[in-house]
Amino acid sequence: MGHGASRLRRLVHEVAKFGAVGGAGVLVNLVVFNLVRHTTDLQVVRASVIATVVAIVFNYVGFRYFTYRDRDKSRRTREMTLFLLFSAIGLVIENGVLYAATYGFGWNTPLQNNVFKFLGIGVATLFRFWSYRSWVFRALPARETPAATGPAARVPQNDAAGPRKTKQQVP
């Protein structure tokens, strides 16, 4: 199989894993949204922001430990900072759609709230997929594999005493 087909297969696999976590995150988001909306007196967009934040936490765990578990883990502080930054932008996109529908157009029935919440999630998901894979969960460089980062990789092959002999090297 060619290099392009292999890259396409990896991308499809990544999109499927992102979709599985994201789909579960959408359910978490919508369930929390509706629970908060129907059990409190909070306004629709405030209830949505709470639900989005809960889904962001859920999604980080899913993305880090399922979708992108094989990605670079060496800079967790940077990763979490960028994840929160791009998630906040996604939150604004997602809830901006709901805000515009609710307060701009007056579409404020429970069904309309859920439709525009879902639509906002969809628009924000496109942005999140691009930003998370491009900036947050960075791929390891091709030359660095997990096997090459273990303890054996740190043993020098040539030192001041010369190359090490193994049984296979002895004539």
Side-chain angles (χ1 to χ4, degrees):
M1 188 175 291
H3 181 67
S6 176
R7 279 183 55 175
L8 179 61
R9 189 176 64 247
R10 282 193 309 269
L11 179 63
V12 167
H13 186 71
E14 177 185 343
V15 168
K17 288 168 71 174
F18 186 92
V21 171
V26 168
L27 288 177
V28 166
N29 197 330
L30 291 172
V31 166
V32 171
F33 171 65
N34 283 288
L35 280 173
V36 171
R37 185 76 174 117
H38 297 295
T39 60
T40 70
D41 291 332
L42 286 178
Q43 294 175 340
V44 66
V45 175
R46 289 182 182 163
S48 180
V49 168
I50 290 169
T52 304
V53 169
V54 171
I56 286 169
V57 172
F58 175 88
N59 286 345
Y60 178 79
V61 172
F63 292 142
R64 168 40 54 214
Y65 297 104
F66 177 67
T67 306
Y68 297 114
R69 70 176 175 260
D70 60 338
R71 298 288 178 100
D72 186 5
K73 298 176 186 90
S74 64
R75 297 184 216 151
R76 281 289 165 93
T77 302
R78 178 187 177 279
E79 173 184 288
M80 185 141 316
T81 301
L82 287 173
F83 182 84
L84 291 174
L85 171 70
F86 290 122
S87 293
I89 294 168
L91 181 146
V92 169
I93 293 168
E94 174 183 328
N95 291 289
V97 170
L98 181 61
Y99 183 90
T102 303
Y103 300 108
F105 294 99
W107 297 327
N108 197 18
T109 68
L111 177 60
Q112 290 168 331
N113 292 159
N114 278 284
V115 166
F116 288 101
K117 171 80 173 157
F118 188 77
L119 181 63
I121 290 170
V123 174
T125 296
L126 296 173
F127 169 77
R128 288 177 177 130
F129 179 73
W130 168 79
S131 64
Y132 293 167
R133 80 181 307 264
S134 299
W135 298 98
V136 179
F137 300 106
R138 304 286 305 245
L140 291 168
R143 68 183 183 284
E144 183 179 1
T145 61
T149 59
R154 290 188 286 275
V155 175
Q157 297 303 314
N158 284 323
D159 57 13
R164 296 180 182 186
K165 303 233 183 218
T166 63
K167 289 184 180 185
Q168 286 114 2
Q169 291 174 325
V170 178

